[in-house]
Amino acid sequence: MSSQNLPQSPDQDQVPQEPRKPRVAVVFGGRSSEHGISVVTAGAVMRAIDREKYDVLPIGITSDGRWALTADEPDRMAITDRNVPNVEQLAESTEGGVVLSVDPANREVVHSEPGSVPKALGEVDVVFPVLHGPYGEDGTLQGLLELSGVPYVGSGVLASAVGQDKEYMKRVFLSFGLPVGPYEVIRPREWAADPSAARARIVDFAGEHGWPLFVKPARGGSSMGITKVSDLGGLDEAIEEAQRHDPKVLVESLLTGREIECGVLEFEDGPRASVPAEIPPVSAHDFYDFEAKYIDSAAGIVPAPLTDAQTAELQRLAVRAFDAASCEGLVRADFFLQDDGEFVINEINTMPGFTPISMYPRMWQESGVDYAELIDRLIQAALRRPTGLR
């Protein structure tokens, strides 16, 4: 009998396979002083990701830099009783770690424990890095992901570095004709070698632009380490506070006017700006500091009460800043609307907060892009974009 007439077992290779959902690794925590806010942001992002459309792999980076497999429990990643969470509370183990291959042909993630056989966790299609501050938002993680050949949400190495370092951010903006307020930089070697000369330079700066001054970490965020200084007597203490977060210190003059923010989001046809938001004066705080942002939930006004012409100009400047720094994915651009009616850009944030009270998602909600769609657009933009030079 011909074998052609015998019942044939199905060829396993011919059995239709369910298409695999894209796998999103949400990476959060990190070594910066913004560790806790990154955890809160990750919780909000993980709650919003469409689990019917994507698989999620949560990876936390501890305060000392260990990559840890964490529980997929977003509800544990919120601020409670004025305390911010941390990765150590969420890690499934106190030892071992998660390893991402640096071979572009292999996107598999492996979890290893001392004395155990490494466990493959599967391939990752895209990384959603929600780290804030140095060692994550500043181009370092982005460089690792470029070496690994893994697409990721947000800006690349250069834009992330420029967006983190406020000195070079301002230099780039000035070169593109964007309006920037007066500033000075105190470098760590200068302060260590001759603090009196640095003080004298700041006194001259204050003589030209007036007191008070704002002293802040040059590469910090979330308003941490910032001090408003009214005279020379508070300068040393303010510099020491800023240097707890970053050895390089930025000194800025007081810009009077209204604090206005604008979100930029990458669409298929390029970046677009959201409706703006205004940060009103916070009566319980001297300025919009960390506690006002995250603990006391200071409310912004969305949309900001601006004229149509002011809104259009702000949106133009926000997209201009996005392009000037070669940003991708998303940016929150912060401005001052001065008393003379002119906008001055304060800074951009290449990975703004995504907590439930954060201004970036609120601005896009008001612009017609709800939270879930916002997250989906960011993931899809990352999946469309190749790694490497582009």
Side-chain angles (χ1 to χ4, degrees), residues 39-356:
V39 177
V40 176
T41 293
V45 168
M46 287 163 57
R47 275 191 293 272
I49 291 178
D50 184 353
R51 302 305 179 99
E52 296 294 321
K53 190 172 181 178
Y54 304 103
D55 285 329
V56 175
L57 176 66
I59 300 174
I61 301 178
T62 62
S63 298
D64 60 4
R66 181 174 68 91
W67 288 45
L69 189 63
T70 67
D72 187 0
E73 299 177 9
D75 290 342
R76 294 175 55 198
M77 302 165 72
I79 296 174
T80 55
D81 299 326
R82 304 177 70 87
N83 294 313
V84 293
N86 59 62
V87 170
E88 286 78 359
Q89 297 167 343
L90 300 162
E92 294 191 347
S93 171
T94 58
E95 295 182 297
V98 173
V99 178
L100 180 67
S101 171
V102 291
D103 177 3
N106 177 16
R107 295 181 179 177
E108 190 162 75
V109 175
V110 174
H111 182 250
S112 62
E113 291 279 357
S116 301
V117 176
K119 176 184 176 183
L121 301 178
E123 290 193 346
V124 166
D125 297 288
V126 62
V127 170
F128 201 131
V130 290
L131 293 104
H132 300 308
Y135 313 109
E137 190 183 353
D138 59 349
T140 50
L141 177 63
Q142 289 74 15
L144 172 63
L145 296 173
E146 291 287 351
L147 290 173
S148 300
V150 180
Y152 54 92
V153 170
S155 289
V157 175
L158 173 65
S160 297
V162 168
Q164 189 64 46
D165 191 315
K166 295 177 177 61
E167 176 194 359
Y168 287 96
M169 181 196 306
K170 292 176 186 292
R171 291 181 182 273
V172 168
F173 289 161
L174 283 169
S175 72
F176 277 79
L178 288 158
V180 170
Y183 71 96
E184 283 284 350
V185 176
I186 300 175
R187 302 184 187 282
R189 185 170 57 185
E190 174 189 15
W191 185 250
D194 193 352
S196 60
R199 282 190 212 97
R201 187 156 53 84
I202 299 307
V203 168
D204 290 343
F205 179 78
E208 182 179 356
H209 300 289
W211 299 92
L213 303 175
F214 284 92
V215 179
K216 60 177 66 174
R219 293 163 290 194
S222 294
S223 297
M224 288 183 168
I226 300 179
T227 306
K228 184 178 180 181
V229 178
S230 299
D231 53 46
L232 183 60
L235 182 62
D236 282 25
E237 185 178 350
I239 290 173
E240 290 171 7
E241 170 59 20
Q243 287 185 327
R244 289 200 311 110
H245 302 268
D246 183 358
K248 185 166 78 166
V249 175
L250 194 74
V251 179
E252 296 176 327
S253 64
L254 173 67
L255 293 176
T256 58
R258 298 160 59 188
E259 292 190 52
I260 310 291
E261 299 182 348
C262 187
V264 180
L265 178 64
E266 183 181 346
F267 285 75
E268 289 81 358
D269 59 352
R272 301 181 199 172
S274 70
V275 301
E278 180 168 4
I279 309 300
V282 185
S283 57
H285 299 265
D286 202 20
F287 59 95
Y288 195 44
D289 62 6
F290 175 84
E291 292 225 343
K293 281 184 178 180
Y294 298 109
I295 304 300
D296 294 334
S297 305
I301 302 169
V302 188
L306 301 172
T307 67
D308 290 345
Q310 287 173 328
T311 296
E313 175 63 3
L314 179 77
Q315 291 172 327
R316 183 189 73 82
L317 291 171
V319 172
R320 177 74 168 162
F322 182 95
D323 288 336
S326 298
C327 296
E328 296 167 292
L330 72 163
V331 147
R332 193 195 71 229
D334 301 346
F335 295 83
F336 286 98
L337 175 56
Q338 298 187 110
D339 296 338
D340 61 4
E342 297 297 316
F343 285 105
V344 171
I345 188 165
N346 183 38
E347 64 181 45
I348 58 171
N349 193 315
T350 57
M351 185 50 68
F354 275 89
T355 68

Side-chain angles (χ1 to χ4, degrees), residues 353-356 358-366 369 371 374:
F354 275 89
T355 68
S358 294
M359 298 308 299
Y360 185 84
R362 287 184 58 196
M363 288 187 287
W364 278 108
Q365 175 78 38
E366 191 67 25
V369 180
Y371 197 97
L374 178 62

